[in-house]
Amino acid sequence: MPDAYCTSEELAAARPEIAVLGVGAVEQHSYHLPVGTDWIGASEMSRRVAERLGAFWVPALPFSMSQCHGPMAGTVWLKPETLAEVVRDLVLSLAQWGVRKVVVINGHGGNFMLEVAIQELNLSHPDLQVILVPPLVLMGPGGEPIFETAGLEVHAGESETSSQLYLNGEHVREERVDYIPPVGREFLDYAFISHISPHGVWGAPSKATAAKGEKAALRQVEATVAHVQRVFAELDRVKGARRHNA
């Protein structure tokens, strides 16, 4: 798989058509999960997808929009406009050496700016195809439900904890607090998470297991690869038809 362990000469020879970029975060994850949880997940998910696609695996971004966790120790964040510029620069630098299809896999739920940044890249650079994998695809739709608290958790709950138990179990601590605030997720636009949940959790991590994490990861990779292939094929068709009719 083309990745950052290759030399420049090797990458030039491989001429990957697609690059896969994960976007993670470094932020508090309650008492039981490491602050790098989102980055670890985005790294592993993007690596597996890149491997399946024969794409260039770009090292995942560890920082993104985590300001709502700001006062809690370990949180490092970028402003929305900074994140947009970073993604823009990375995509355009890939295009400089011939990679014109980029898959962005968002590993952090608060990164609303990614959709705006990717839309602007596609409209400003019609020779590029940059896609953002939707959250529903990353959840791995289809089949039997995996998580008991699906739809209720937001942060450091059953699904994230299960994922870390599978990917990074040695760094998951035993102390877990279940807490689902009596307000909607939109309250993260109004207040820090420490005001909403003193434990920094929004979900039920006590229900997490490594087996659930493994099952979800396999489903996510399959769903993401199928989605990416379908979207790029449709974009090739749409843009090809437009050039033909021009």
Side-chain angles (χ1 to χ4, degrees):
M1 176 180 67
D3 60 19
Y5 293 97
C6 294
T7 67
S8 178
E9 184 178 9
E10 289 167 343
L11 288 170
R15 300 180 64 183
E17 181 185 19
I18 302 172
V20 178
L21 168 67
V23 180
V26 174
E27 60 188 27
Q28 74 79 27
H29 271 77
S30 193
Y31 307 125
H32 62 291
L33 293 181
V35 296
T37 287
D38 289 348
W39 171 66
I40 293 164
S43 294
E44 186 60 22
M45 181 68 179
S46 60
R47 184 190 66 80
R48 295 184 183 196
V49 170
E51 188 172 30
R52 287 282 303 276
L53 294 171
F56 174 48
W57 178 43
V58 183
L61 279 178
F63 311 116
S64 58
M65 294 169 55
S66 300
Q67 191 173 6
C68 64
H69 299 274
M72 301 184 77
T75 301
V76 183
W77 51 271
L78 300 177
K79 292 185 292 186
E81 56 270 28
T82 305
L83 177 61
E85 285 299 313
V86 169
V87 170
R88 177 183 178 277
D89 286 352
L90 291 175
V91 170
L92 294 181
S93 66
L94 289 165
Q96 287 268 324
W97 54 278
V99 180
R100 304 204 171 265
K101 293 182 177 182
V102 181
V103 178
V104 179
I105 295 179
N106 181 23
H108 172 57
N111 288 334
F112 67 84
M113 183 55 77
L114 287 176
E115 186 173 350
V116 177
I118 287 169
Q119 182 186 56
E120 291 191 353
L121 275 165
N122 283 304
L123 296 180
S124 302
H125 301 273
D127 57 324
L128 299 180
Q129 294 179 13
V130 188
I131 66 173
L132 177 64
V133 178
L136 287 177
V137 172
L138 287 174
M139 288 170 63
E144 292 292 321
I146 297 173
F147 301 114
E148 300 174 47
T149 55
L152 297 176
E153 70 170 271
V154 172
H155 187 73
E158 181 187 7
S159 65
E160 273 196 305
T161 305
S162 294
S163 173
Q164 287 298 298
L165 284 168
Y166 168 54
L167 298 174
N168 185 40
E170 67 273 23
H171 292 116
V172 178
R173 281 62 167 182
E174 291 298 325
E175 184 180 4
R176 303 179 199 173
V177 175
D178 292 353
Y179 183 72
I180 298 176
V183 296
R185 183 173 183 161
E186 71 275 8
F187 272 72
L188 288 176
D189 294 334
Y190 316 145
F192 291 118
I193 196 170
S194 56
H195 297 146
I196 301 168
S197 170
H199 314 291
V201 65
W202 193 319
S206 68
K207 298 181 181 296
T209 68
K212 291 178 182 178
E214 181 177 15
K215 187 174 182 179
L218 294 174
R219 188 181 292 182
Q220 288 168 356
V221 171
E222 292 296 326
T224 301
V225 169
H227 175 81
V228 168
Q229 291 172 331
R230 183 170 61 251
V231 171
F232 278 143
E234 185 63 15
L235 283 172
D236 286 339
R237 186 190 68 79
V238 170
K239 292 192 173 186
R242 181 181 177 184
R243 286 192 295 269
H244 179 74
N245 295 327

